[in-house]
Amino acid sequence: MKRLKIDLADRSYEILIGQHLLQKTVTWVSEVVTPSRIVLITHPSIHRLYGQRLVSDFNAAGFPTDVIEVPEGETSKSLREAEKIYDRLLEWNCDRQSLLIALGGGVIGDLTGFIAATYVRGIPFIQIPTSLLAQVDSSVGGKTAVNHPRGKNMIGAFYQPKRVLIDLDTLKTLPEREFKAGLAEVIKYGVIEDAGLFRYLETNAEKILSHDTAALEHIISTSCAIKAKVVEKDERESHYRMVLNFGHTIGHAVEALTGYSSLVHGEAVAIGMVYAARLSQVAGKCSAEVPRRITSLIEKMGLPTQLPALKPEDMIESMYHDKKTSNKKIRFILVKDIGSIEIVDQVAEPLILEALQN
Ligand code: NAD
Ligand code: GLY
């Protein structure tokens, strides 16, 4: 098992990564909190796979534990769903000594984190991410949110968990498409910070795609270490944390214009990274070799590289409405070389159009 620390003064916590972690969840949890009661928030299918055992282990260890099941899908990240959960927590007299555990992918993690941040002005929570995307990205760093009809993640808080438990075994039941979507975020870390990780992905794609445990532990722990470093420098995204949005400016526009239906988030990010790399070349930031390597690795991991049939002008319009857009300027994370990026606060529209039409 690997232990990584995310150093944020009194909000510091550890990320534990390894196999069979869920078998000792009571230990990993009680090392950091002594809750009066526990509420596990999860989806019905994840509850059947992993939750039931956790609930009986906690109850057997003397921690009264209840479960709230929420439906799968992005629509559960809503104030409506949050209100239903607040009702249950109040009904059960949960107080500031109660603990929430998020067991699931990014939807469960973001929703549970948001409830933890707001219920009685904040109660502790623990992340047990079960999708690859949640293990390498959403469970780490304290961004919590629900969606508003006018935009994704518009209502939220920065609120750190007490611990993150990443059990590699849970990836065995993750649908293949979701697994590959998580790999897009791993590729992102290579591009923004770590040429060694990028090379490792190029060389070990087959091992990774066949779920080799050592390879998975390596890429997940390296990704979490990179994210921890970025969040330690800029927890509340005043500037530097934006590097984590490489590929997301175009990715979000693709998601918004395709109605969040045909592509999962990681696939949209994969396409976004291909076109952000092309834009970097068009803007004179990197050689043609950089977009070539990024596109080829994304393809190798079985992820899409082509934009769906969307009008570039509509995409630019959508980028202006992204919550990361400030003062009518479209900000891009451009790549100078693998492992080296630049935050560019304003990229001229003709360059974006050229890259999108490329
Ligand atoms: P998700 O939570 O919807 O999970 C994808 C699907 O996989 C779901 O159907 C889920 O039930 C299933 N699943 C998860 N783990 C499983 C397992 N081990 N076995 C079987 N099925 C499993 O989607 P996601 O990709 O994990 O997360 C996407 C969400 O994360 C979005 O809402 C996005 O906004 C958010 N996000 C947040 C951050 C952040 O920093 N907070 C970062 C990136 C993404
Ligand atoms: N997923 C981007 C961030 O955590 O900042």
Side-chain angles (χ1 to χ4, degrees), residues 255-303:
E255 282 184 296
L257 292 172
T258 53
Y260 299 95
S261 54
S262 53
L263 294 163
V264 296
H265 178 69
E267 292 168 343
V269 169
I271 296 169
M273 289 194 289
V274 167
Y275 285 84
R278 289 185 189 180
L279 175 60
S280 307
Q281 186 198 347
V282 168
K285 300 284 179 193
C286 66
S287 68
E289 178 66 0
V290 172
R292 190 200 61 73
R293 276 180 77 192
I294 292 174
T295 309
S296 152
L297 179 57
I298 289 173
E299 240 163 31
K300 219 175 187 175
M301 292 301 189
L303 284 159

Side-chain angles (χ1 to χ4, degrees), residues 43 45-46 49-50 72-74 77 104-108 110 130-131 133-134 137-140 142-144 147 152-153 170-171 173-175 178 185 227 241 265:
H43 296 310
S45 59
I46 312 272
L49 284 167
Y50 307 108
E72 290 191 24
E74 191 63 33
K77 266 177 61 175
V107 164
I108 287 291
D110 281 13
T130 60
S131 70
L133 180 134
D137 190 358
S138 61
S139 67
V140 175
K143 276 191 181 176
T144 75
N147 302 324
K152 255 192 92 173
N153 297 325
T170 60
L171 296 177
T173 56
L174 184 69
E178 299 292 347
E185 302 288 354
K227 180 142 188 192
R241 187 167 174 164
H265 178 69

Side-chain angles (χ1 to χ4, degrees), residues 37-340:
R37 65 183 303 142
I38 297 175
V39 178
L40 183 77
I41 302 183
T42 189
H43 296 310
S45 59
I46 312 272
H47 185 213
R48 277 194 300 278
L49 284 167
Y50 307 108
Q52 282 168 349
R53 176 171 177 177
L54 294 190
V55 174
S56 69
D57 286 355
F58 278 117
N59 280 316
F63 296 106
T65 301
D66 288 295
V67 181
I68 297 177
E69 290 183 352
V70 300
E72 290 191 24
E74 191 63 33
T75 46
S76 281
K77 266 177 61 175
S78 65
L79 283 172
R80 220 180 133 91
E81 200 60 42
E83 193 169 357
K84 285 192 214 160
I85 298 175
Y86 295 136
D87 282 347
R88 302 285 290 283
L89 299 180
L90 288 164
E91 203 179 293
W92 293 336
N93 295 316
C94 290
D95 59 17
R96 289 207 183 111
Q97 275 65 54
S98 305
L99 171 76
L100 299 186
I101 297 183
L103 175 72
V107 164
I108 287 291
D110 281 13
L111 173 66
T112 306
F114 176 73
I115 304 278
T118 48
Y119 181 74
V120 293
R121 299 197 180 95
I123 63 172
F125 86 113
I126 283 186
Q127 289 270 20
I128 307 186
T130 60
S131 70
L132 181 59
L133 180 134
Q135 296 184 347
V136 298
D137 190 358
S138 61
S139 67
V140 175
K143 276 191 181 176
T144 75
V146 293
N147 302 324
H148 185 275
R150 294 179 71 161
K152 255 192 92 173
N153 297 325
M154 283 296 176
I155 318 290
F158 289 96
Y159 193 71
Q160 303 294 343
K162 293 290 175 207
R163 186 163 262 188
V164 181
L165 301 178
I166 300 179
D167 189 332
L168 303 173
D169 297 335
T170 60
L171 296 177
K172 290 183 184 142
T173 56
L174 184 69
E176 203 49 29
R177 185 176 179 191
E178 299 292 347
F179 177 76
K180 288 180 177 164
L183 287 175
E185 302 288 354
V186 178
I187 295 171
K188 175 191 81 179
Y189 291 116
V191 175
I192 63 172
E193 276 280 340
D194 190 340
L197 171 63
F198 194 92
R199 262 193 309 280
Y200 183 89
L201 295 168
E202 288 178 319
T203 317
N204 294 281
E206 271 175 28
K207 267 192 186 172
I208 293 163
L209 288 170
S210 63
H211 290 233
D212 176 271
T213 307
L216 289 183
E217 187 172 270
H218 176 71
I219 61 170
I220 293 170
S221 57
T222 308
S223 300
C224 287
I226 294 169
K227 180 142 188 192
K229 201 173 95 181
V230 172
V231 172
E232 282 168 1
K233 272 195 201 164
D234 179 18
E235 182 184 2
R236 298 176 72 88
E237 202 172 35
S238 54
H239 192 66
Y240 182 63
R241 187 167 174 164
M242 287 169 195
V243 299
L244 297 173
N245 294 325
F246 175 67
H248 286 59
T249 311
I250 292 171
H252 284 157
V254 170
E255 282 184 296
L257 292 172
T258 53
Y260 299 95
S261 54
S262 53
L263 294 163
V264 296
H265 178 69
E267 292 168 343
V269 169
I271 296 169
M273 289 194 289
V274 167
Y275 285 84
R278 289 185 189 180
L279 175 60
S280 307
Q281 186 198 347
V282 168
K285 300 284 179 193
C286 66
S287 68
E289 178 66 0
V290 172
R292 190 200 61 73
R293 276 180 77 192
I294 292 174
T295 309
S296 152
L297 179 57
I298 289 173
E299 240 163 31
K300 219 175 187 175
M301 292 301 189
L303 284 159
T305 56
Q306 289 295 321
L307 276 176
L310 297 170
K311 283 197 196 135
E313 295 76 10
D314 291 346
M315 292 189 60
I316 291 184
E317 187 55 33
S318 172
M319 289 174 207
Y320 277 117
H321 291 115
D322 194 287
K323 75 175 181 310
K324 303 266 160 53
T325 301
S326 67
N327 299 330
K328 301 251 172 253
K329 292 175 185 166
I330 303 179
R331 179 184 294 119
F332 265 96
I333 314 305
L334 297 183
V335 52
K336 297 190 283 186
D337 200 351
I338 302 295
S340 168

